[in-house]
Amino acid sequence: MSQNTICGEVILIFTGGTIGMSENPEAGGVVPDDNFSKLLAEVTPEGHNVKVRPVLWSDVPSPHMTPDMMLRLSKDIETYLSEKCVLGAVILHGTDLMAETAYMLDLTVNSPKPVILTGAMRYFNESGYDGVRNLVDAVRVCLLPPPEGTDVIIQMADKLFAAKNAIKSSSLSVDPFIGQNTGRLGFIAGESVILTRSKPGRRPRLPFETSHADPDVHLIGCHPGMDSTIIDCLREKGAKGIVLEGFGAGNTPPGIVEGIKKCIGQDIPVVLCTRCIEGGVWPIYAYPGGAANLKSLGVITAGGLSAIKATLLLKLLVGSNCSLTQIKQIFAEESV
């Protein structure tokens, strides 16, 4: 980190998550516990004339976050970052949907200022609590600062990941994230932040205003022997988009092909993802239900995007009244 004195404010937004939770025997487990003020006492950027401005945005577990909440958070962050004195934003968030919220922010926050998400895997009164270190390190990353226009960043366990590629791969480890297909963006060593990509660039944000994530876009996980029942039911109930999580390089059971054809025939976008963490979707196999077969029918392939992130993207695009041509073009750009 540069030794030059930095002046300004870092916005610290608390949304909730394990970082602010405590064990409550009466509740039978770990629950939100109003620990934000205690966390704030641990954040004192040294060597800089920097003020941390706290924002208690919510106190919810991350599985309670909805696409509309993610969009509202994006708009609020954009407003804060528009202030000249603000250097960047740190968001405290639960890890279960941290990567997905980060991706939503990455798509919709237009400011070039740094946006860093962090949290904790251990709760506030648990031995080995990791929240304070992650919080302090996230502020440190925000003050680096990363190169202008860098992806929204997740910082956990001394590692930095780009929002588009971050995925939670462990449900319990204090080092829960990996960079899907691309690895980490950087890491923290002592008091220094080391970027492993010298010029980490990113594709442009969505080139239009986003104000709505359509609830009629649905994610379907494939299973062996599956037929078109679920797809047909959603289509008949007015689904505006379908995301499929297939196997391997994006292959699916043959029993769903007819249901997919009916969706395509009604101009309902169908997006194909894979449950595999690495590799992504590749249209190799042309047998019924194979990715090459589905692509030939008009299915949109999502490359390395996870199924949940692809669903969020499709919800945004459908909610923004994008044409099918625009949807295909944007997914082609995002799937790289």
Side-chain angles (χ1 to χ4, degrees):
M1 184 183 297
S2 171
Q3 297 302 310
N4 296 331
T5 299
I6 301 172
C7 299
E9 289 187 331
V10 171
I11 303 297
L12 180 60
I13 300 174
F14 183 75
T15 69
T18 301
I19 193 169
M21 294 186 186
S22 300
E23 185 177 26
N24 185 330
E26 293 183 2
V30 178
V31 293
D33 194 30
D34 193 27
N35 285 313
F36 187 39
S37 59
K38 298 175 186 177
L39 279 168
L40 287 174
E42 303 291 341
V43 187
T44 52
E46 297 180 1
H48 302 291
N49 183 21
V50 173
K51 177 182 177 183
V52 174
R53 190 199 306 178
V55 176
L56 182 56
W57 194 84
S58 69
D59 191 2
V60 299
S62 68
H64 293 193
M65 290 287 284
T66 66
D68 284 338
M69 290 173 69
M70 295 175 186
L71 261 182
R72 180 162 57 87
L73 178 61
S74 170
K75 304 300 181 186
D76 290 345
I77 291 171
E78 191 79 63
T79 298
Y80 287 120
L81 296 183
S82 68
E83 299 178 33
K84 187 176 181 179
C85 65
V86 171
L87 302 169
V90 171
I91 296 93
L92 302 183
H93 195 288
T95 57
D96 283 356
L97 288 184
M98 183 184 290
E100 287 71 31
T101 295
Y103 181 60
M104 181 74 90
L105 300 180
D106 198 46
L107 289 169
T108 57
V109 173
N110 289 302
S111 172
K113 295 178 181 179
V115 177
I116 318 296
L117 285 85
T118 195
M121 289 296 293
R122 294 177 177 168
Y123 50 87
F124 196 85
N125 56 353
E126 183 179 7
S127 176
Y129 177 62
D130 55 329
V132 172
R133 180 178 178 87
N134 285 335
L135 171 55
V136 171
D137 283 348
V139 173
R140 182 177 293 134
V141 174
C142 199
L143 297 177
L144 177 59
E148 187 173 287
T150 299
D151 293 322
V152 170
I153 291 173
I154 286 177
Q155 187 285 129
M156 287 282 293
D158 299 339
K159 297 176 183 177
L160 281 60
F161 301 97
K164 179 180 173 182
N165 306 111
I167 186 169
K168 186 176 180 181
S169 63
S170 173
S171 63
L172 295 175
S173 171
V174 293
D175 184 10
F177 287 97
I178 62 170
Q180 189 176 16
N181 295 315
T182 60
R184 64 189 180 184
L185 190 65
F187 62 95
I188 294 169
E191 298 299 311
S192 300
V193 179
I194 311 298
L195 294 176
T196 52
R197 300 184 209 169
S198 59
K199 293 182 179 180
R202 56 155 297 161
R203 74 284 180 279
R205 271 74 168 178
L206 293 178
F208 44 78
E209 182 69 19
T210 53
S211 58
H212 178 58
D214 198 298
D216 288 323
V217 171
H218 302 276
L219 168 60
I220 302 173
C222 292
H223 60 265
M226 182 179 179
D227 62 19
S228 292
T229 300
I230 297 174
I231 296 175
D232 290 341
C233 180
L234 290 173
R235 176 179 53 79
E236 290 166 4
K237 288 184 176 294
K240 297 178 183 175
I242 299 288
V243 177
L244 298 170
E245 186 178 51
F247 318 124
N251 308 308
T252 67
I256 70 172
V257 173
E258 287 305 311
I260 292 172
K261 287 180 179 178
K262 292 176 183 177
C263 289
I264 298 296
Q266 294 181 15
D267 288 332
I268 299 171
V270 179
V271 175
L272 178 65
C273 303
T274 174
R275 66 176 181 171
C276 295
I277 293 176
E278 295 184 352
V281 174
W282 291 93
I284 299 171
Y285 297 101
Y287 54 71
N293 168 244
L294 297 183
K295 185 175 181 180
S296 71
L297 298 177
V299 170
I300 301 165
T301 57
L305 275 183
S306 71
I308 299 180
K309 289 179 181 176
T311 304
L312 289 173
L313 177 57
L314 187 56
K315 282 178 177 287
L316 280 179
L317 299 181
V318 173
S320 301
N321 296 314
C322 289
S323 67
L324 188 56
T325 299
Q326 288 176 301
I327 291 172
K328 290 180 177 179
Q329 178 181 346
I330 290 172
F331 264 97
E333 295 169 354
E334 283 295 294
S335 65
V336 175

